[in-house]
Amino acid sequence: METVLNMLQDPNVQWVLLGTILLGIASGVIGSFALLRKQSLLGDAMAHAALPGICIAFLLYGAKSMSWFLIGASISGLIGTYCIQAIIKHSRIKEDTAIGLVLSVFFGFGIVLLTYIQQNGSGNQAGLDSFIFGQAAAIVGLDVQIISVIAFVLIFITFILFKELKLITFDPQFAQGIGLPVKWLNGLLMTMIVGAVVIGLQAVGVILMAAMLITPAITARYWTERLDYMVVLAGIVGGVSGVVGTLLSTLSRGMPTGPLIILAATLLFLFSLLFGTKKGILPKMVKQWKVKRLITRENVLSSLYELSETTLKESEGKEMGSYSFQQVVELRPVSSLMLLAVIKELKKEGLLAEEQANKQLMLTEKGLELAHEIVLKNRLLDMYLMFESKFPVSNWREGSMDLLNGPKEIIDELRALLKDFGREPNGLFLYKKKRKLGNKGFHSAVEGSEG
C-alpha cells in the first residue's frame, strides 16, 4: 500500500492515471451506443483506419505532435467510416464485409506508411510504432489536457442529447417521424465514436482500442436493461479498468499499460458474465431452476389429483387412494432429482403424505384443494387456447397468464366450455360431498364451480 501511495506522488504516474481514467469513462459511455446499435466492429475499423492518418500527419508536420496526430487520426477515421457507409449504400455488400474490407485496407496502408517512416530512421524516435499496441507511459501533461477536453466534450454531448441518441438507437423510424434530424444525429454519433477511438490510440493502440470501446459497455449490459444506468455503469467500468491497468503496469517493470487495461476490463466482464443480475449465467441458471421446480411441483400435484379423481369416481367418493412414484411420473415425466426435492418440499408443507410401508404418495385435504386449483387453471387455459379467437385481446394475457385472475366474463365462458366438454375437475367436489364437509375447511378459488 505504501508503495502504491509513493507511486501516486509521481507526476508522470498521475498524468497517466488521469488520462486512462478519462479514456475509460469516455469509451464506456460512447461504447454503450455503439454496442446497442450493433456497431461493435465499427470502432475496430475506425481504430485501424486511424493509423494511416497518424503517419500522414507525421510526414506532413515532420515531427511528433499529439495535436497533429489526433487531427490526422480523426480525418482518417472519418474517411474510413464514410467508406464503410458508401460501400453499404452503393453495393450489395453487407455491413460486416464492408467493415472487414475497410479495416484491412486502411490498416495495411498504415503499416506501409509506418515502415516507410521507420526506414527513414525517424519513426521510432517519433514514437509512431507505439500507436499499434499503445504506450500509456508516453502520456504527458499536454496529452492529458487534450484527452480531458475531448472526453469532457463527448460526455457533455451525450448528457445533453441523451434522449435523441436513445431514440435513434432503439427506434430510428419513430425518431424520424417526430422530426428529429436522424442523419445528422447518426453522423454526430459516428464522430463521437471516432473521437473516443482517437483519444485512446496512444494509451491502448489501434489493435486493442475496439476492446476498450466495447468491453465496458457489454459488462454493464449484464447488470441492467436501462440505457441510462448502462451508460453510467459502463463509464465506471471503463474508469476502474483504467485505474487497475495503470497501477498494475506501474507496479510491474516493463509491462504495457494498454493490454493490462484491457485485461482488467476483461476480468470485470467475466465476473459480470457469471454473476450479472440481468444476464449473468449463474442468476439465469437459478431462475431456470426455480421455474423448473415450480413446473415439477404443479405436475406432481396435477398427476396426483387426476389419479385421485379417477379413484374417487370409481369408489363413489369413498377413498382417494395412494400412488407410487412410477404412476406419478408416467402421467407427466419429470427428472428423478427434481421429483425427490419437490416431494420433500410438498410433504414439509403438508400437501402430501407418504405411506411408509409401501412408499405410496397421497394428497392431503390441503393438497387436494391446491391441486384442484392448479388443474382447474390448466384446463381453463386449454379451453382458452382452443377457442382463443372468440375472446378479445386483454392486458391480463401479458402478465402471468393466470386465468383465475382474468376478467370474470371470460372465466364464466371458459367454465361453460369446460362443462360442455366434460373437463370440469370434480375430484374435490366428490371428496367434499361424500364426507359432507360443506365449504368449511375448503376455500375453492372459483365460486360456483362444481369442485
Side-chain angles (χ1 to χ4, degrees):
M1 189 65 185
E2 186 177 352
T3 307
V4 175
L5 292 176
N6 290 332
M7 284 190 308
L8 291 177
Q9 294 177 359
D10 185 345
N12 189 45
V13 174
Q14 292 174 0
W15 288 125
V16 174
L17 194 58
L18 182 60
T20 53
I21 290 174
L22 292 172
L23 168 65
I25 294 173
S27 299
V29 170
I30 304 301
S32 298
F33 292 98
L35 175 73
L36 294 174
R37 290 167 64 88
K38 300 180 180 177
Q39 294 178 332
S40 303
L41 285 176
L42 194 60
D44 198 20
M46 290 178 181
H48 284 74
L51 185 59
I54 293 171
C55 296
I56 292 173
F58 176 79
L59 289 172
L60 293 176
Y61 190 70
K64 180 182 178 182
S65 169
M66 183 53 60
S67 302
W68 280 97
F69 286 173
L70 292 180
I71 292 171
S74 301
I75 295 173
S76 184
L78 287 173
I79 292 174
T81 307
Y82 174 79
C83 291
I84 292 171
Q85 300 298 332
I87 291 171
I88 296 171
K89 186 176 180 181
H90 299 292
S91 71
R92 300 185 68 179
I93 296 175
K94 293 184 178 179
E95 184 176 7
D96 56 342
T97 308
I99 289 175
L101 188 65
V102 171
L103 181 151
S104 53
V105 169
F106 273 71
F107 187 63
F109 182 50
I111 293 295
V112 170
L113 291 176
L114 186 62
T115 306
Y116 170 77
I117 294 170
Q118 286 176 333
Q119 286 177 349
N120 287 339
S122 57
N124 290 328
Q125 288 78 2
L128 292 186
D129 50 342
S130 67
F131 280 91
I132 296 179
F133 295 106
Q135 189 176 6
I139 294 178
V140 295
L142 179 62
D143 300 337
V144 173
Q145 290 176 8
I146 295 173
I147 292 173
S148 302
V149 170
I150 296 178
F152 278 122
V153 168
L154 294 177
I155 295 170
F156 181 74
I157 293 174
T158 304
F159 177 75
I160 296 296
L161 298 177
F162 180 77
K163 288 183 180 177
E164 288 77 5
L165 295 176
K166 182 179 178 180
L167 266 180
I168 66 167
T169 298
F170 292 109
D171 198 343
Q173 286 77 21
F174 177 72
Q176 193 165 15
I178 62 174
L180 286 179
V182 175
K183 287 185 178 179
W184 184 85
L185 288 170
N186 277 327
L188 176 66
L189 187 58
M190 290 295 172
T191 306
M192 291 167 67
I193 295 174
V194 171
V197 168
V198 165
I199 61 174
L201 290 179
Q202 186 173 7
V204 183
V206 297
I207 303 263
L208 298 176
M209 190 52 216
M212 193 67 214
L213 199 65
I214 299 304
T215 308
I218 190 66
T219 301
R221 189 71 181 87
Y222 279 90
W223 295 96
T224 180
E225 292 179 344
R226 289 187 51 169
L227 179 60
D228 47 355
Y229 293 166
M230 179 182 170
V231 167
V232 173
L233 195 56
I236 294 173
V237 171
V240 171
S241 303
V243 172
V244 174
T246 304
L247 291 180
L248 288 176
S249 174
T250 308
L251 288 170
S252 53
R253 185 183 297 274
M255 294 297 287
T257 306
L260 285 176
I261 292 175
I262 302 302
L263 282 178
T266 304
L267 288 176
L268 291 174
F269 164 71
L270 292 175
F271 180 81
S272 303
L273 178 67
L274 289 176
F275 302 105
T277 52
K278 292 301 179 184
K279 293 179 177 292
I281 292 175
L282 291 179
K284 192 175 180 181
M285 288 175 65
V286 171
K287 189 176 180 180
Q288 288 176 343
W289 182 80
K290 286 182 178 178
V291 171
K292 192 175 180 182
R293 188 178 65 175
L294 179 62
I295 293 172
T296 303
R297 178 188 169 95
E298 291 195 353
N299 283 343
V300 169
L301 289 173
S302 298
S303 298
L304 282 170
Y305 184 89
E306 290 176 3
L307 291 167
S308 301
E309 188 178 35
T310 304
T311 304
L312 283 166
K313 286 179 181 176
E314 293 173 352
S315 65
E316 298 181 346
K318 292 179 181 177
E319 58 176 324
M320 285 199 298
S322 58
Y323 311 95
S324 65
F325 284 66
Q326 185 63 31
Q327 287 176 291
V328 174
V329 173
E330 280 178 356
L331 283 181
R332 291 177 178 83
V334 294
S335 70
S336 301
L337 288 177
M338 186 62 76
L339 177 64
L340 292 175
V342 166
I343 286 177
K344 184 178 179 181
E345 179 183 288
L346 293 175
K347 285 165 62 179
K348 190 176 180 181
E349 294 177 17
L351 300 173
L352 282 187
E354 183 176 359
E355 294 178 353
Q356 295 299 325
N358 51 12
K359 299 293 181 184
Q360 299 273 327
L361 298 172
M362 62 182 297
L363 288 170
T364 62
E365 289 183 0
K366 183 180 174 184
L368 185 65
E369 184 180 2
L370 179 61
H372 171 81
E373 292 182 9
I374 294 171
V375 171
L376 178 61
K377 182 181 67 177
N378 291 335
R379 291 183 184 178
L380 286 174
L381 182 60
D382 290 341
M383 287 296 113
Y384 178 83
L385 295 176
M386 286 174 62
F387 299 96
E388 188 174 3
S389 59
K390 292 179 59 177
F391 301 102
V393 177
S394 301
N395 293 332
W396 61 271
R397 287 192 59 200
E398 299 174 0
S400 59
M401 283 295 286
D402 187 354
L403 282 169
L404 299 182
N405 292 324
K408 185 177 182 303
E409 57 276 14
I410 293 180
I411 294 178
D412 290 342
E413 193 166 350
L414 288 172
R415 285 174 52 200
L417 288 169
L418 209 58
K419 191 172 183 178
D420 292 342
F421 279 84
R423 292 275 295 158
E424 268 199 320
N426 51 20
L428 181 61
F429 170 73
L430 292 172
Y431 182 83
K432 288 167 58 179
K433 184 178 179 182
K434 189 66 182 178
R435 283 157 181 74
K436 296 179 181 178
L437 293 178
N439 289 328
K440 186 176 181 181
F442 293 90
H443 308 284
S444 177
V446 181
E447 294 181 1
S449 168
E450 188 180 46

